[in-house]
Amino acid sequence: MTEPEVEDRKPQSDEARSAFIPPSGVVAQVPPVEEESSTTSEFALPKGLGVPAVSPAESEGSAFSRPRTYSSGHAPAAFTPPAGVPRVDLTKDAPWQDRMRTMLRMPVTERPVPDTVQKAEDEGPAVPRVLDLTLRIGELLLAGGEGAEDVEAAMFAVCRSYGLDRCEPNVTFTLLTVSYQPSLVEDPISASRTVRRRGTDYTRLAAVYQLVDDISDDQTEVSLEESYRRLAEIRRNRHPYSGWVLTTATGLLAGAASVLVGGDLIVFVAAAVGAMLGDRLAWLCAGRGLPEFYQFTVAAMPAAAMGAALTLAHVDVRASAVITGGLFALLPGRALVAGVQDGLTGYYITAAARLLEVMYFYVGIVIGVLVILYFGVTLGAELNPDAALLSAERPLWQIAASMLLTLTFAVLLQQERSTVLVVTLNGGVAWSVYGAMHYAGGISPVASTAVAAGLVGLFGQLMSRYRFASALPYTTAAIGPLLPGSATYFGLLAIAQNDVDEGLVSLTKAAALAMAIAIGMNLGSEISRLFLRLPGAAGGARRAAKRTRGF
């Protein structure tokens, strides 16, 4: 065999030795090699399935365009109700709070577009200025103690009134945010504002509500310049009551509270003097820049010292009533009600922050009272924890004291003079209901407090709807007589006398009473909204809060 023949018989490569090489003479049916760009996904359509050809112009479509396979005549029944999608009908005669709250509680895709932009400028709304005005209004409402849902409703009303219908307000304890998206293809605009200082002034709160009502009214033309001018006037207006009037109101509130728990004239005067001293010390601490925690601690000391001093002087008075009256002027009932209301309406972050603030205030009060009680007990003051069982039942005196307490509480909240008489009567009715259920009917104090607070909330919501204003001026002061001042004091006294178990039981009762007040207030408001006419889907059920699952 020649050398060239040997070279031809040698394998040329590794493939020549493969067992899968077809024998010579057999024609292999090799499938065509597919290109790398061909579709190999498992979601590809099988071959042979007829698919309508797509024109080059329609090859790339928008994500918001209608699917090509959609046919209105053969639409599945699962996506559309037999009667069609219900139309949202927002009645014009309903209060703006209810209209805006209804829209906030519905999905963004179901919110109706405003028919006309009543307050838009000729060249269109100035978006940054509208957002700034909205944040300034929300700041005043949140700083005044308004609930988070009501603040969002007011901000939403302002934005929609000036033509910004695609807006989303968001409220937390110290931060306000509002975002606006002009369209699906334009960049959104967001603005925020931080609430750094809080002050209770219900007169200012009522003025802001009136401004929002005028802005959201279709029959009233309020330009951006006019809104800014009125908002600046609201900020510049001084409080209706001076500092010394507030101090006097604090003393009268403490004296009235001492009468509620069985005090006489001497107790009234002692409680009033102690509360006034505590108020002036708190003003002094505030002027030095001390936080509110220390202000509450200092303010709680004079009333407790007054009660312990009367006991050491062997004056035949009820020292517990003196100290209890002084505590009534310090209990943060307004912040507690607002915190529980935010939690019940789905604003859990804001509710947690408000309740944490309330806890700090209570701790400050506890420290101030415990320090005085400890020294009093050490010096030989005979403070009797069982005095709570000797509460006298004097209906007429207690009703009069509850009305005086509500009146002075309204002054401390800087309410308008036109609302003081109404809320005073509301406080008297609340205490009458509580006394009738607890003293005459023998019902537990927690249940009695909840029912009385529910009536206060119902009345306040009715008055707010009637006057197109906030419900806080008609409810906050009226719950003053129901605050758990005596339970708080006797719990602290038991702890000071080393009876921790009894003290914790009494403090738990105080917490239960406080929660009963807050839940009763919110339930009364919700009942009024449930049975009165509300704007919304025709024939539909009332929507739940927007952050709940809706069941």
Side-chain angles (χ1 to χ4, degrees):
M1 183 177 297
T2 62
E3 186 174 351
E5 293 179 354
V6 174
E7 292 292 337
D8 293 339
R9 301 175 70 89
K10 290 181 180 180
Q12 301 297 325
S13 63
D14 293 340
E15 295 178 356
R17 303 189 186 93
S18 174
F20 299 99
I21 298 297
S24 60
V26 178
V27 179
Q29 301 293 331
V30 181
V33 180
E34 297 182 353
E35 299 180 358
E36 295 181 358
S37 60
S38 61
T39 303
T40 58
S41 171
E42 61 183 11
F43 299 101
L45 295 175
K47 295 181 178 180
L49 180 63
V51 180
V54 181
S55 61
E58 298 178 355
S59 59
E60 294 183 4
S62 171
F64 301 97
S65 61
R66 188 177 61 186
R68 302 185 186 93
T69 57
Y70 176 82
S71 174
S72 60
H74 302 85
F79 296 101
T80 305
V85 179
R87 181 177 64 90
V88 177
D89 184 17
L90 298 177
T91 57
K92 299 295 184 181
D93 55 345
W96 65 264
Q97 299 98 313
D98 289 338
R99 289 189 281 115
M100 295 303 108
R101 188 181 292 109
T102 301
M103 296 188 65
L104 283 174
R105 291 183 177 183
M106 67 174 58
V108 179
T109 56
E110 299 181 12
R111 293 176 183 172
V113 179
D115 298 333
T116 57
V117 180
Q118 296 289 338
K119 310 300 185 304
E121 306 293 341
D122 296 337
E123 62 276 3
V127 176
R129 296 191 66 196
V130 172
L131 297 184
D132 179 71
L133 176 67
T134 302
L135 290 174
R136 290 176 183 271
I137 290 176
E139 178 189 11
L140 285 179
L141 293 177
L142 187 63
E146 191 62 83
E149 187 179 31
D150 294 326
V151 176
E152 282 195 4
M155 296 172 63
F156 194 69
V158 174
C159 286
R160 286 183 62 88
S161 298
Y162 286 107
L164 308 186
D165 55 303
R166 297 186 185 92
C167 65
E168 278 296 326
N170 189 22
V171 176
T172 59
F173 184 57
T174 58
L175 182 64
L176 297 167
T177 306
V178 59
S179 61
Y180 169 66
Q181 187 172 11
S183 65
L184 295 175
V185 296
E186 297 182 67
D187 295 333
I189 303 173
S190 299
S192 62
R193 196 173 184 89
T194 303
V195 179
R196 302 187 183 278
R197 185 177 180 181
R198 301 175 182 274
T200 304
D201 189 342
Y202 283 0
T203 300
R204 179 179 296 175
L205 188 71
V208 176
Y209 259 80
Q210 184 61 47
L211 174 59
V212 177
D213 185 38
D214 292 340
I215 292 176
S216 60
D217 187 6
D218 295 336
Q219 307 300 324
T220 306
E221 292 290 341
V222 182
S223 63
L224 282 173
E225 288 73 15
E226 177 68 15
S227 299
Y228 269 106
R229 185 189 63 80
R230 291 179 57 179
L231 192 62
E233 290 181 355
I234 293 173
R235 286 181 174 274
R236 285 195 303 263
N237 286 342
R238 299 179 60 87
H239 300 306
Y241 308 104
S242 63
W244 284 104
V245 173
L246 298 181
T247 300
T248 305
T250 302
L252 293 177
L253 188 153
S258 65
V259 174
L260 280 179
V261 293
D264 52 12
L265 181 59
I266 299 178
V267 171
F268 180 94
V269 174
V273 172
M276 292 172 67
L277 289 176
D279 183 75
R280 296 319 299 177
L281 287 176
W283 277 93
L284 182 63
C285 294
R288 296 295 185 270
L290 289 178
E292 285 186 301
F293 175 83
Y294 301 105
Q295 296 177 29
F296 273 80
T297 302
V298 173
M301 291 182 176
M306 189 69 67
L310 290 176
T311 303
L312 290 174
H314 302 288
V315 180
D316 189 15
V317 296
R318 298 185 59 186
S320 60
V322 176
I323 302 176
T324 300
L327 292 180
F328 261 87
L330 299 175
L331 295 179
R334 173 184 57 85
L336 175 66
V337 172
V340 175
Q341 180 181 359
D342 288 340
L344 294 176
T345 52
Y347 295 81
Y348 302 114
I349 297 178
T350 307
R354 288 185 189 270
L355 294 178
L356 184 62
E357 180 188 43
V358 172
M359 186 194 72
Y360 272 101
F361 290 163
Y362 266 107
V363 171
I365 296 172
V366 166
I367 293 176
V369 175
L370 279 181
V371 168
I372 300 301
L373 291 181
Y374 176 79
F375 282 106
V377 173
T378 304
L379 294 175
E382 297 179 359
L383 301 173
N384 184 15
D386 298 329
L389 304 176
L390 306 177
S391 179
E393 298 180 14
R394 301 172 298 176
L396 297 180
W397 281 100
Q398 290 178 331
I399 292 176
S402 66
M403 296 179 67
L404 177 60
L405 189 153
T406 305
L407 173 65
T408 53
F409 202 174
V411 173
L412 291 176
L413 295 174
Q414 301 280 2
Q415 290 191 196
E416 292 181 300
R417 292 177 174 85
S418 59
T419 63
V420 170
L421 178 61
V422 178
V423 72
T424 299
L425 296 176
N426 194 16
V429 172
W431 179 261
S432 300
V433 172
Y434 170 81
M437 294 183 64
H438 177 55
Y439 295 117
I443 302 176
S444 68
V446 176
S448 304
T449 301
V451 173
L455 292 178
V456 169
L458 177 61
F459 176 78
Q461 189 60 224
L462 294 176
M463 288 300 298
S464 69
R465 294 172 65 91
Y466 175 71
R467 297 194 175 185
F468 291 82
S470 173
L472 292 181
Y474 304 101
T475 57
T476 306
I479 66 172
L482 304 176
L483 292 176
S486 59
T488 303
Y489 161 70
F490 287 110
L492 299 180
L493 177 60
I495 294 176
Q497 295 180 344
N498 294 326
D499 192 355
V500 180
D501 294 337
E502 185 67 25
L504 292 178
V505 170
S506 185
L507 290 179
T508 303
K509 177 183 176 181
L513 291 173
M515 293 297 294
I517 293 173
I519 295 176
M521 284 269 296
N522 182 264
L523 184 60
S525 301
E526 293 296 324
I527 288 176
S528 67
R529 296 171 185 164
L530 183 65
F531 290 101
L532 295 178
R533 184 180 61 178
L534 278 176
R542 179 177 182 271
R543 295 183 182 273
K546 67 176 183 179
R547 287 183 176 83
T548 62
R549 291 185 290 272
F551 48 76

